[in-house]
Amino acid sequence: MKIIPSSQVGRLIPDGASVLLTGITLGGYAEEAFLQIERSFLDCGHPRDLTLYWQASVGDMATKGLSHICHEGLLAKGVGGHINGCGKVMTEFCRDNKAAIYNWPQGVCVAMLHAIAAKTPGVVTKIGLKTFMDPRYGGGRMNAAATEDLIDLVTLRGEEWLLYKAPKKIDVTLIRGTVADERGNIAMTKEGYKLGQLAAAEAARATGGIVICQVERIVKSGTLHPRLVEVPGVLVDYVYVAQPEYHWQTAASQFNPVFAGDYKVPLESIPPVKFDIKKVMARRAAMELREGYIVNLGIGTPEYISAVASEEGCSALFTLSTEAGNIGGVPTVGNDFGCCWNGEAMIETAGIFDMYDGGSLDAGCLGFLEVGPNGDLNSSKKEGLGIGVGGFMNIAGGAKHVVFISSFTAGKPEYQLGNGELHIIRDGTKKKFIRQIAQISFSAEVALDQGKDITYVTERAVFKLTPQGLMLTEIAPGIDLQRDILDQMEFTPLLSDEIKPMPAEIFFETWGGLKAHMTKE
Ligand SMILES: CC(C)(COP(=O)(O)OP(=O)(O)OC[C@H]1O[C@@H](n2cnc3c(N)ncnc32)[C@H](O)[C@@H]1OP(=O)(O)O)[C@@H](O)C(=O)NCCC(=O)NCCS
């Protein structure tokens, strides 16, 4: 192992290299290495034509993270778990076809680290079947520049599976830890999650590549307890010490010891969310959860559910988990996404996705953009822009109960809310319940085959998935069925024989009723 200044990183990466990295927001991400790669490319045109593999949203939704790599000629191909979570620059780079961009489910991306490391053909899974991952529906391609077949449909033991093909070569793996000793042993003590840095290092070594690691500090050999070492020095080729501004724990927090599991805080210190339409949706969605459930909350409106549960004194009734691998406590939101307050366990992200895919998740609450007549959803492509699925497909694919949450229309709808009723002052400019969705991110057919319980929660109506299509089951008090619901849809849903009012109690500023719902049979 050699200790280098970060300015040498660019020179260690050959033109045309396949580069593997770890990261969620800015956690576990070697920000300074990517800054140096960008500088080197802008200074001398090298390295260039890189292929990049990432697993999640990497960046601060502004200028950091994978924005550094989005230069024409520098990035030729990207395969990642999320697109717009890597920032506007990446989203527009994808839209403008400046590189071939593919989106894979986040759980597949993390499993792939192990697949490459173990030299298997790739990841074989049912996750993504009959969605845009399936080669019959798009093969994970996010733009016209993406022309390769990276996913095969295979039949094994008489059943259909998807084979996400492992790259044959990883030239460079770029990982991050907290501390390295002089022999390159890496500990992750200040990280907020475990992103599979070991498997990422093994993947490079298995295919003849090198491993570069960013750390905050180098300590003397022999001073790291062996149990703390997550990546052994024998797998690490180069280590550099980052400047503190390029070594943040998340995109929002330089270092919070609670996220690293060092302390717990009184939960009252988590601020309540303001009373608005998203809070109402989060309350109605939370009513689908039951005591004892293991739950994942996706990004966007579902994130509000943890704050609602905490405000309602229900956090201890169920167990929240994040796809980064944190279990228990209260998941963090926004640019801190993936960590948690007062967690009970921090397992490797691949382990939590095994839990999800294997069916240990009782409920997943996820956002969506569009829904079709049969209940198929788009949550990954918005007005031609690639959003990406993140953990959506694994969560929706693994959970027994899935609660999809979204406003009924998009485009700045205005509501009057309170006193137990909802009124639409001005509806959104764009319908979301439409005949033809832009991309299938969730297959209703597969979910029905698997016997899942699927609920669609909006601020004004609730639907259930049935074999015949979407069925309207609840309407908010104050809402007119024809004017506010049916006229705002491009198709007519099935109408339940017993359409109920959504509970008026959630349309008041203060509530206090969640516990009764969560503890009922
Ligand atoms: C789908 C997703 C974008 C919804 O996020 P959200 O914050 O709950 O949704 P919102 O309804 O506030 O929509 C976000 C924006 O998209 C717009 N939008 C929503 N649906 C739209 C549609 N069908 N067409 C056009 N715009 C739409 C909204 O108007 C809003 O715009 P604004 O920011 O200018 O106000 C989000 O859940 C997501 O990225 N999901 C995919 C990844 C995922 O689920 N991962 C889970 C585990 S990591």
Side-chain angles (χ1 to χ4, degrees), residues 82 106 278 298-302 323 337 366-370 379 382-383 387-392 395 407 410-412 430-432:
H82 213 273
Q106 190 174 335
K278 292 200 172 189
I299 48 180
T301 314
E323 47 276 55
F337 191 78
L366 296 159
F368 69 88
L369 297 167
E370 296 171 338
S379 67
K382 184 170 80 175
E383 297 182 314
I387 304 283
V389 287
F392 177 98
I395 297 161
S407 58
K412 313 280 179 230
K430 190 150 192 307
K431 292 189 170 73
K432 287 185 160 198

PDB file of all heavy atoms in Angstrom, residues 82 106 278 298-302 323 337 366-370 379 382-383 387-392 395 407 410-412 430-432, ligand 1:
ATOM      1  N   HIS A  82     -29.363   5.363  -9.117  1.00  0.00           N
ATOM      2  CA  HIS A  82     -30.223   6.536  -9.181  1.00  0.00           C
ATOM      3  C   HIS A  82     -29.611   7.548 -10.126  1.00  0.00           C
ATOM      4  O   HIS A  82     -28.391   7.580 -10.304  1.00  0.00           O
ATOM      5  CB  HIS A  82     -30.403   7.148  -7.783  1.00  0.00           C
ATOM      6  CG  HIS A  82     -31.763   7.763  -7.601  1.00  0.00           C
ATOM      7  ND1 HIS A  82     -32.038   9.054  -7.961  1.00  0.00           N
ATOM      8  CD2 HIS A  82     -32.928   7.253  -7.125  1.00  0.00           C
ATOM      9  CE1 HIS A  82     -33.321   9.303  -7.706  1.00  0.00           C
ATOM     10  NE2 HIS A  82     -33.880   8.236  -7.199  1.00  0.00           N
ATOM     11  N   GLN A 106     -31.247  -0.401  -6.943  1.00  0.00           N
ATOM     12  CA  GLN A 106     -30.126  -0.216  -6.016  1.00  0.00           C
ATOM     13  C   GLN A 106     -29.670  -1.546  -5.389  1.00  0.00           C
ATOM     14  O   GLN A 106     -28.481  -1.791  -5.220  1.00  0.00           O
ATOM     15  CB  GLN A 106     -30.558   0.754  -4.912  1.00  0.00           C
ATOM     16  CG  GLN A 106     -29.427   1.217  -4.018  1.00  0.00           C
ATOM     17  CD  GLN A 106     -29.896   2.278  -3.032  1.00  0.00           C
ATOM     18  OE1 GLN A 106     -30.878   2.979  -3.301  1.00  0.00           O
ATOM     19  NE2 GLN A 106     -29.234   2.407  -1.906  1.00  0.00           N
ATOM     20  N   LYS A 278     -48.691  17.102   2.398  1.00  0.00           N
ATOM     21  CA  LYS A 278     -47.829  15.910   2.479  1.00  0.00           C
ATOM     22  C   LYS A 278     -47.980  15.237   3.837  1.00  0.00           C
ATOM     23  O   LYS A 278     -47.915  14.014   3.953  1.00  0.00           O
ATOM     24  CB  LYS A 278     -46.368  16.291   2.214  1.00  0.00           C
ATOM     25  CG  LYS A 278     -46.155  16.722   0.759  1.00  0.00           C
ATOM     26  CD  LYS A 278     -44.729  16.653   0.317  1.00  0.00           C
ATOM     27  CE  LYS A 278     -44.653  16.910  -1.181  1.00  0.00           C
ATOM     28  NZ  LYS A 278     -43.367  16.675  -1.784  1.00  0.00           N
ATOM     29  N   GLY A 298     -39.520   5.230   1.436  1.00  0.00           N
ATOM     30  CA  GLY A 298     -38.779   5.722   0.268  1.00  0.00           C
ATOM     31  C   GLY A 298     -38.616   7.234   0.295  1.00  0.00           C
ATOM     32  O   GLY A 298     -39.046   7.907   1.240  1.00  0.00           O
ATOM     33  N   ILE A 299     -38.026   7.757  -0.764  1.00  0.00           N
ATOM     34  CA  ILE A 299     -37.732   9.195  -0.775  1.00  0.00           C
ATOM     35  C   ILE A 299     -38.949  10.003  -1.217  1.00  0.00           C
ATOM     36  O   ILE A 299     -39.835   9.505  -1.889  1.00  0.00           O
ATOM     37  CB  ILE A 299     -36.497   9.532  -1.650  1.00  0.00           C
ATOM     38  CG1 ILE A 299     -36.568   8.848  -3.009  1.00  0.00           C
ATOM     39  CG2 ILE A 299     -35.234   9.182  -0.947  1.00  0.00           C
ATOM     40  CD1 ILE A 299     -35.375   9.173  -3.885  1.00  0.00           C
ATOM     41  N   GLY A 300     -38.952  11.271  -0.805  1.00  0.00           N
ATOM     42  CA  GLY A 300     -40.066  12.155  -1.122  1.00  0.00           C
ATOM     43  C   GLY A 300     -41.082  12.125   0.017  1.00  0.00           C
ATOM     44  O   GLY A 300     -40.724  12.002   1.189  1.00  0.00           O
ATOM     45  N   THR A 301     -42.353  12.182  -0.331  1.00  0.00           N
ATOM     46  CA  THR A 301     -43.420  12.261   0.673  1.00  0.00           C
ATOM     47  C   THR A 301     -43.352  11.133   1.719  1.00  0.00           C
ATOM     48  O   THR A 301     -43.612  11.384   2.900  1.00  0.00           O
ATOM     49  CB  THR A 301     -44.793  12.271  -0.039  1.00  0.00           C
ATOM     50  OG1 THR A 301     -44.722  13.201  -1.126  1.00  0.00           O
ATOM     51  CG2 THR A 301     -45.903  12.677   0.895  1.00  0.00           C
ATOM     52  N   PRO A 302     -42.992   9.891   1.337  1.00  0.00           N
ATOM     53  CA  PRO A 302     -42.942   8.831   2.356  1.00  0.00           C
ATOM     54  C   PRO A 302     -42.006   9.152   3.532  1.00  0.00           C
ATOM     55  O   PRO A 302     -42.214   8.659   4.648  1.00  0.00           O
ATOM     56  CB  PRO A 302     -42.427   7.612   1.574  1.00  0.00           C
ATOM     57  CG  PRO A 302     -42.809   7.880   0.162  1.00  0.00           C
ATOM     58  CD  PRO A 302     -42.736   9.355  -0.016  1.00  0.00           C
ATOM     59  N   GLU A 323     -32.350   1.564   3.297  1.00  0.00           N
ATOM     60  CA  GLU A 323     -31.652   0.670   2.366  1.00  0.00           C
ATOM     61  C   GLU A 323     -30.140   0.768   2.506  1.00  0.00           C
ATOM     62  O   GLU A 323     -29.407  -0.085   2.011  1.00  0.00           O
ATOM     63  CB  GLU A 323     -32.094   0.886   0.919  1.00  0.00           C
ATOM     64  CG  GLU A 323     -32.153   2.309   0.437  1.00  0.00           C
ATOM     65  CD  GLU A 323     -33.466   2.980   0.795  1.00  0.00           C
ATOM     66  OE1 GLU A 323     -33.822   3.001   1.987  1.00  0.00           O
ATOM     67  OE2 GLU A 323     -34.128   3.501  -0.108  1.00  0.00           O
ATOM     68  N   PHE A 337     -30.077  11.550   3.958  1.00  0.00           N
ATOM     69  CA  PHE A 337     -30.784  10.286   3.668  1.00  0.00           C
ATOM     70  C   PHE A 337     -29.892   9.055   3.878  1.00  0.00           C
ATOM     71  O   PHE A 337     -28.736   9.042   3.488  1.00  0.00           O
ATOM     72  CB  PHE A 337     -31.288  10.301   2.223  1.00  0.00           C
ATOM     73  CG  PHE A 337     -32.244   9.189   1.907  1.00  0.00           C
ATOM     74  CD1 PHE A 337     -33.564   9.268   2.310  1.00  0.00           C
ATOM     75  CD2 PHE A 337     -31.831   8.059   1.231  1.00  0.00           C
ATOM     76  CE1 PHE A 337     -34.468   8.241   2.040  1.00  0.00           C
ATOM     77  CE2 PHE A 337     -32.712   7.024   0.944  1.00  0.00           C
ATOM     78  CZ  PHE A 337     -34.036   7.120   1.354  1.00  0.00           C
ATOM     79  N   LEU A 366     -43.756   4.197  -0.662  1.00  0.00           N
ATOM     80  CA  LEU A 366     -42.956   4.708  -1.777  1.00  0.00           C
ATOM     81  C   LEU A 366     -43.712   5.782  -2.558  1.00  0.00           C
ATOM     82  O   LEU A 366     -44.938   5.712  -2.694  1.00  0.00           O
ATOM     83  CB  LEU A 366     -42.620   3.550  -2.726  1.00  0.00           C
ATOM     84  CG  LEU A 366     -41.741   2.452  -2.120  1.00  0.00           C
ATOM     85  CD1 LEU A 366     -41.886   1.158  -2.900  1.00  0.00           C
ATOM     86  CD2 LEU A 366     -40.279   2.892  -2.085  1.00  0.00           C
ATOM     87  N   GLY A 367     -42.967   6.744  -3.089  1.00  0.00           N
ATOM     88  CA  GLY A 367     -43.574   7.796  -3.905  1.00  0.00           C
ATOM     89  C   GLY A 367     -43.760   7.340  -5.350  1.00  0.00           C
ATOM     90  O   GLY A 367     -43.176   6.349  -5.778  1.00  0.00           O
ATOM     91  N   PHE A 368     -44.622   8.050  -6.088  1.00  0.00           N
ATOM     92  CA  PHE A 368     -44.770   7.737  -7.518  1.00  0.00           C
ATOM     93  C   PHE A 368     -45.108   8.992  -8.309  1.00  0.00           C
ATOM     94  O   PHE A 368     -45.503  10.019  -7.750  1.00  0.00           O
ATOM     95  CB  PHE A 368     -45.806   6.626  -7.739  1.00  0.00           C
ATOM     96  CG  PHE A 368     -47.239   6.985  -7.447  1.00  0.00           C
ATOM     97  CD1 PHE A 368     -48.043   7.547  -8.424  1.00  0.00           C
ATOM     98  CD2 PHE A 368     -47.790   6.735  -6.209  1.00  0.00           C
ATOM     99  CE1 PHE A 368     -49.367   7.871  -8.169  1.00  0.00           C
ATOM    100  CE2 PHE A 368     -49.117   7.052  -5.937  1.00  0.00           C
ATOM    101  CZ  PHE A 368     -49.909   7.627  -6.926  1.00  0.00           C
ATOM    102  N   LEU A 369     -44.925   8.889  -9.608  1.00  0.00           N
ATOM    103  CA  LEU A 369     -45.175  10.020 -10.509  1.00  0.00           C
ATOM    104  C   LEU A 369     -46.441   9.832 -11.339  1.00  0.00           C
ATOM    105  O   LEU A 369     -47.186  10.773 -11.563  1.00  0.00           O
ATOM    106  CB  LEU A 369     -43.984  10.192 -11.461  1.00  0.00           C
ATOM    107  CG  LEU A 369     -42.645  10.530 -10.808  1.00  0.00           C
ATOM    108  CD1 LEU A 369     -41.497  10.353 -11.788  1.00  0.00           C
ATOM    109  CD2 LEU A 369     -42.656  11.950 -10.270  1.00  0.00           C
ATOM    110  N   GLU A 370     -46.641   8.609 -11.829  1.00  0.00           N
ATOM    111  CA  GLU A 370     -47.804   8.341 -12.688  1.00  0.00           C
ATOM    112  C   GLU A 370     -48.319   6.930 -12.391  1.00  0.00           C
ATOM    113  O   GLU A 370     -47.534   6.049 -12.029  1.00  0.00           O
ATOM    114  CB  GLU A 370     -47.398   8.358 -14.170  1.00  0.00           C
ATOM    115  CG  GLU A 370     -46.908   9.696 -14.682  1.00  0.00           C
ATOM    116  CD  GLU A 370     -46.316   9.614 -16.086  1.00  0.00           C
ATOM    117  OE1 GLU A 370     -45.898   8.508 -16.529  1.00  0.00           O
ATOM    118  OE2 GLU A 370     -46.268  10.658 -16.739  1.00  0.00           O
ATOM    119  N   SER A 379     -42.236   5.696 -11.437  1.00  0.00           N
ATOM    120  CA  SER A 379     -41.638   6.547 -10.395  1.00  0.00           C
ATOM    121  C   SER A 379     -40.227   6.924 -10.811  1.00  0.00           C
ATOM    122  O   SER A 379     -39.443   7.400 -10.009  1.00  0.00           O
ATOM    123  CB  SER A 379     -41.598   5.808  -9.059  1.00  0.00           C
ATOM    124  OG  SER A 379     -40.701   4.744  -9.159  1.00  0.00           O
ATOM    125  N   LYS A 382     -39.575  11.463 -15.378  1.00  0.00           N
ATOM    126  CA  LYS A 382     -40.484  12.607 -15.239  1.00  0.00           C
ATOM    127  C   LYS A 382     -40.305  13.551 -16.405  1.00  0.00           C
ATOM    128  O   LYS A 382     -39.260  14.156 -16.564  1.00  0.00           O
ATOM    129  CB  LYS A 382     -40.188  13.331 -13.923  1.00  0.00           C
ATOM    130  CG  LYS A 382     -41.137  14.456 -13.644  1.00  0.00           C
ATOM    131  CD  LYS A 382     -40.999  15.004 -12.231  1.00  0.00           C
ATOM    132  CE  LYS A 382     -39.848  15.951 -12.100  1.00  0.00           C
ATOM    133  NZ  LYS A 382     -39.770  16.572 -10.777  1.00  0.00           N
ATOM    134  N   GLU A 383     -41.338  13.677 -17.215  1.00  0.00           N
ATOM    135  CA  GLU A 383     -41.322  14.592 -18.355  1.00  0.00           C
ATOM    136  C   GLU A 383     -40.042  14.455 -19.167  1.00  0.00           C
ATOM    137  O   GLU A 383     -39.349  15.433 -19.448  1.00  0.00           O
ATOM    138  CB  GLU A 383     -41.530  16.022 -17.855  1.00  0.00           C
ATOM    139  CG  GLU A 383     -42.895  16.172 -17.190  1.00  0.00           C
ATOM    140  CD  GLU A 383     -43.198  17.570 -16.702  1.00  0.00           C
ATOM    141  OE1 GLU A 383     -42.318  18.167 -16.077  1.00  0.00           O
ATOM    142  OE2 GLU A 383     -44.316  18.043 -16.934  1.00  0.00           O
ATOM    143  N   ILE A 387     -35.221   9.851 -13.687  1.00  0.00           N
ATOM    144  CA  ILE A 387     -35.118  10.025 -12.238  1.00  0.00           C
ATOM    145  C   ILE A 387     -34.316   8.863 -11.653  1.00  0.00           C
ATOM    146  O   ILE A 387     -33.363   9.045 -10.907  1.00  0.00           O
ATOM    147  CB  ILE A 387     -36.533  10.048 -11.588  1.00  0.00           C
ATOM    148  CG1 ILE A 387     -37.409  11.128 -12.214  1.00  0.00           C
ATOM    149  CG2 ILE A 387     -36.456  10.164 -10.083  1.00  0.00           C
ATOM    150  CD1 ILE A 387     -37.121  12.518 -11.776  1.00  0.00           C
ATOM    151  N   GLY A 388     -34.719   7.649 -12.028  1.00  0.00           N
ATOM    152  CA  GLY A 388     -34.049   6.458 -11.486  1.00  0.00           C
ATOM    153  C   GLY A 388     -34.862   5.869 -10.356  1.00  0.00           C
ATOM    154  O   GLY A 388     -35.658   6.553  -9.728  1.00  0.00           O
ATOM    155  N   VAL A 389     -34.650   4.569 -10.110  1.00  0.00           N
ATOM    156  CA  VAL A 389     -35.503   3.874  -9.146  1.00  0.00           C
ATOM    157  C   VAL A 389     -34.915   3.760  -7.750  1.00  0.00           C
ATOM    158  O   VAL A 389     -35.639   3.486  -6.799  1.00  0.00           O
ATOM    159  CB  VAL A 389     -35.895   2.452  -9.623  1.00  0.00           C
ATOM    160  CG1 VAL A 389     -36.909   2.531 -10.722  1.00  0.00           C
ATOM    161  CG2 VAL A 389     -34.683   1.636 -10.027  1.00  0.00           C
ATOM    162  N   GLY A 390     -33.610   3.915  -7.586  1.00  0.00           N
ATOM    163  CA  GLY A 390     -33.038   3.689  -6.258  1.00  0.00           C
ATOM    164  C   GLY A 390     -33.459   2.329  -5.734  1.00  0.00           C
ATOM    165  O   GLY A 390     -33.486   1.339  -6.469  1.00  0.00           O
ATOM    166  N   GLY A 391     -33.877   2.294  -4.457  1.00  0.00           N
ATOM    167  CA  GLY A 391     -34.287   1.019  -3.862  1.00  0.00           C
ATOM    168  C   GLY A 391     -35.739   0.657  -4.140  1.00  0.00           C
ATOM    169  O   GLY A 391     -36.227  -0.375  -3.665  1.00  0.00           O
ATOM    170  N   PHE A 392     -36.439   1.501  -4.907  1.00  0.00           N
ATOM    171  CA  PHE A 392     -37.884   1.344  -5.128  1.00  0.00           C
ATOM    172  C   PHE A 392     -38.268  -0.087  -5.524  1.00  0.00           C
ATOM    173  O   PHE A 392     -39.187  -0.680  -4.948  1.00  0.00           O
ATOM    174  CB  PHE A 392     -38.311   2.348  -6.208  1.00  0.00           C
ATOM    175  CG  PHE A 392     -39.746   2.296  -6.618  1.00  0.00           C
ATOM    176  CD1 PHE A 392     -40.676   3.183  -6.081  1.00  0.00           C
ATOM    177  CD2 PHE A 392     -40.191   1.374  -7.563  1.00  0.00           C
ATOM    178  CE1 PHE A 392     -42.014   3.145  -6.471  1.00  0.00           C
ATOM    179  CE2 PHE A 392     -41.517   1.330  -7.950  1.00  0.00           C
ATOM    180  CZ  PHE A 392     -42.424   2.209  -7.410  1.00  0.00           C
ATOM    181  N   ILE A 395     -37.781  -2.660  -2.718  1.00  0.00           N
ATOM    182  CA  ILE A 395     -38.728  -2.457  -1.615  1.00  0.00           C
ATOM    183  C   ILE A 395     -40.123  -2.902  -2.052  1.00  0.00           C
ATOM    184  O   ILE A 395     -40.784  -3.688  -1.377  1.00  0.00           O
ATOM    185  CB  ILE A 395     -38.707  -0.976  -1.164  1.00  0.00           C
ATOM    186  CG1 ILE A 395     -37.318  -0.625  -0.626  1.00  0.00           C
ATOM    187  CG2 ILE A 395     -39.782  -0.696  -0.127  1.00  0.00           C
ATOM    188  CD1 ILE A 395     -37.031   0.868  -0.570  1.00  0.00           C
ATOM    189  N   SER A 407     -49.370  13.025  -4.553  1.00  0.00           N
ATOM    190  CA  SER A 407     -50.494  13.933  -4.752  1.00  0.00           C
ATOM    191  C   SER A 407     -51.275  13.444  -5.976  1.00  0.00           C
ATOM    192  O   SER A 407     -50.724  12.772  -6.853  1.00  0.00           O
ATOM    193  CB  SER A 407     -49.990  15.362  -4.975  1.00  0.00           C
ATOM    194  OG  SER A 407     -49.125  15.391  -6.080  1.00  0.00           O
ATOM    195  N   ALA A 410     -50.204  16.757 -10.492  1.00  0.00           N
ATOM    196  CA  ALA A 410     -48.915  17.447 -10.359  1.00  0.00           C
ATOM    197  C   ALA A 410     -49.040  18.836 -10.962  1.00  0.00           C
ATOM    198  O   ALA A 410     -49.992  19.107 -11.703  1.00  0.00           O
ATOM    199  CB  ALA A 410     -47.830  16.661 -11.092  1.00  0.00           C
ATOM    200  N   GLY A 411     -48.060  19.692 -10.668  1.00  0.00           N
ATOM    201  CA  GLY A 411     -48.084  21.024 -11.258  1.00  0.00           C
ATOM    202  C   GLY A 411     -48.786  22.022 -10.360  1.00  0.00           C
ATOM    203  O   GLY A 411     -49.778  22.645 -10.768  1.00  0.00           O
ATOM    204  N   LYS A 412     -48.263  22.155  -9.156  1.00  0.00           N
ATOM    205  CA  LYS A 412     -48.675  23.199  -8.199  1.00  0.00           C
ATOM    206  C   LYS A 412     -50.179  23.262  -7.894  1.00  0.00           C
ATOM    207  O   LYS A 412     -50.810  24.323  -8.012  1.00  0.00           O
ATOM    208  CB  LYS A 412     -48.212  24.594  -8.696  1.00  0.00           C
ATOM    209  CG  LYS A 412     -46.774  24.667  -9.174  1.00  0.00           C
ATOM    210  CD  LYS A 412     -45.792  24.765  -8.029  1.00  0.00           C
ATOM    211  CE  LYS A 412     -44.338  24.804  -8.527  1.00  0.00           C
ATOM    212  NZ  LYS A 412     -43.449  23.886  -7.896  1.00  0.00           N
ATOM    213  N   LYS A 430     -51.139  18.911 -14.298  1.00  0.00           N
ATOM    214  CA  LYS A 430     -50.821  17.643 -14.952  1.00  0.00           C
ATOM    215  C   LYS A 430     -51.512  16.488 -14.237  1.00  0.00           C
ATOM    216  O   LYS A 430     -51.411  16.348 -13.016  1.00  0.00           O
ATOM    217  CB  LYS A 430     -49.290  17.452 -14.904  1.00  0.00           C
ATOM    218  CG  LYS A 430     -48.831  16.313 -15.741  1.00  0.00           C
ATOM    219  CD  LYS A 430     -47.439  16.524 -16.299  1.00  0.00           C
ATOM    220  CE  LYS A 430     -47.098  15.513 -17.359  1.00  0.00           C
ATOM    221  NZ  LYS A 430     -47.282  14.130 -16.991  1.00  0.00           N
ATOM    222  N   LYS A 431     -52.199  15.677 -15.024  1.00  0.00           N
ATOM    223  CA  LYS A 431     -52.848  14.498 -14.429  1.00  0.00           C
ATOM    224  C   LYS A 431     -51.794  13.422 -14.155  1.00  0.00           C
ATOM    225  O   LYS A 431     -50.836  13.280 -14.910  1.00  0.00           O
ATOM    226  CB  LYS A 431     -53.914  13.941 -15.382  1.00  0.00           C
ATOM    227  CG  LYS A 431     -55.124  14.861 -15.559  1.00  0.00           C
ATOM    228  CD  LYS A 431     -56.222  14.146 -16.325  1.00  0.00           C
ATOM    229  CE  LYS A 431     -57.529  14.899 -16.321  1.00  0.00           C
ATOM    230  NZ  LYS A 431     -57.605  16.084 -17.150  1.00  0.00           N
ATOM    231  N   LYS A 432     -52.001  12.675 -13.097  1.00  0.00           N
ATOM    232  CA  LYS A 432     -51.075  11.586 -12.755  1.00  0.00           C
ATOM    233  C   LYS A 432     -51.696  10.212 -12.962  1.00  0.00           C
ATOM    234  O   LYS A 432     -50.986   9.229 -13.058  1.00  0.00           O
ATOM    235  CB  LYS A 432     -50.672  11.699 -11.284  1.00  0.00           C
ATOM    236  CG  LYS A 432     -49.725  12.834 -10.968  1.00  0.00           C
ATOM    237  CD  LYS A 432     -49.305  12.754  -9.527  1.00  0.00           C
ATOM    238  CE  LYS A 432     -48.029  13.523  -9.297  1.00  0.00           C
ATOM    239  NZ  LYS A 432     -47.392  13.123  -8.053  1.00  0.00           N
TER     240      LYS A 432
HETATM  241  C1  LIG B   1     -41.342   9.569  -7.374  1.00  0.00           C
HETATM  242  C2  LIG B   1     -40.697  10.648  -6.517  1.00  0.00           C
HETATM  243  C3  LIG B   1     -39.938  11.644  -7.390  1.00  0.00           C
HETATM  244  C4  LIG B   1     -41.818  11.377  -5.774  1.00  0.00           C
HETATM  245  O1  LIG B   1     -41.258  12.312  -4.893  1.00  0.00           O
HETATM  246  P1  LIG B   1     -42.208  13.274  -3.996  1.00  0.00           P
HETATM  247  O2  LIG B   1     -41.343  14.330  -3.418  1.00  0.00           O
HETATM  248  O3  LIG B   1     -43.008  12.472  -3.071  1.00  0.00           O
HETATM  249  O4  LIG B   1     -43.214  13.793  -5.088  1.00  0.00           O
HETATM  250  P2  LIG B   1     -43.867  15.160  -5.450  1.00  0.00           P
HETATM  251  O5  LIG B   1     -45.300  14.845  -5.698  1.00  0.00           O
HETATM  252  O6  LIG B   1     -43.580  16.260  -4.467  1.00  0.00           O
HETATM  253  O7  LIG B   1     -43.189  15.458  -6.824  1.00  0.00           O
HETATM  254  C5  LIG B   1     -41.908  16.010  -6.929  1.00  0.00           C
HETATM  255  C6  LIG B   1     -41.934  16.986  -8.099  1.00  0.00           C
HETATM  256  O8  LIG B   1     -42.259  16.263  -9.301  1.00  0.00           O
HETATM  257  C7  LIG B   1     -43.430  16.818  -9.905  1.00  0.00           C
HETATM  258  N1  LIG B   1     -44.225  15.711 -10.426  1.00  0.00           N
HETATM  259  C8  LIG B   1     -44.774  14.711  -9.721  1.00  0.00           C
HETATM  260  N2  LIG B   1     -45.432  13.895 -10.547  1.00  0.00           N
HETATM  261  C9  LIG B   1     -45.275  14.383 -11.783  1.00  0.00           C
HETATM  262  C10 LIG B   1     -45.733  13.978 -13.055  1.00  0.00           C
HETATM  263  N3  LIG B   1     -46.463  12.889 -13.207  1.00  0.00           N
HETATM  264  N4  LIG B   1     -45.386  14.716 -14.124  1.00  0.00           N
HETATM  265  C11 LIG B   1     -44.659  15.841 -13.989  1.00  0.00           C
HETATM  266  N5  LIG B   1     -44.199  16.281 -12.794  1.00  0.00           N
HETATM  267  C12 LIG B   1     -44.506  15.561 -11.723  1.00  0.00           C
HETATM  268  C13 LIG B   1     -44.152  17.521  -8.772  1.00  0.00           C
HETATM  269  O9  LIG B   1     -45.002  18.539  -9.269  1.00  0.00           O
HETATM  270  C14 LIG B   1     -42.998  18.081  -7.973  1.00  0.00           C
HETATM  271  O10 LIG B   1     -42.509  19.214  -8.638  1.00  0.00           O
HETATM  272  P3  LIG B   1     -41.952  20.494  -7.824  1.00  0.00           P
HETATM  273  O11 LIG B   1     -40.762  19.964  -7.068  1.00  0.00           O
HETATM  274  O12 LIG B   1     -41.598  21.457  -8.898  1.00  0.00           O
HETATM  275  O13 LIG B   1     -43.074  20.924  -6.953  1.00  0.00           O
HETATM  276  C15 LIG B   1     -39.748  10.020  -5.475  1.00  0.00           C
HETATM  277  O14 LIG B   1     -40.469   9.215  -4.595  1.00  0.00           O
HETATM  278  C16 LIG B   1     -38.658   9.202  -6.148  1.00  0.00           C
HETATM  279  O15 LIG B   1     -37.647   9.750  -6.578  1.00  0.00           O
HETATM  280  N6  LIG B   1     -38.852   7.863  -6.243  1.00  0.00           N
HETATM  281  C17 LIG B   1     -37.943   6.960  -6.928  1.00  0.00           C
HETATM  282  C18 LIG B   1     -36.891   6.412  -6.046  1.00  0.00           C
HETATM  283  C19 LIG B   1     -37.421   5.726  -4.836  1.00  0.00           C
HETATM  284  O16 LIG B   1     -38.599   5.570  -4.604  1.00  0.00           O
HETATM  285  N7  LIG B   1     -36.553   5.263  -4.011  1.00  0.00           N
HETATM  286  C20 LIG B   1     -36.972   4.585  -2.811  1.00  0.00           C
HETATM  287  C21 LIG B   1     -35.884   4.037  -2.033  1.00  0.00           C
HETATM  288  S1  LIG B   1     -34.321   4.884  -2.214  1.00  0.00           S
END
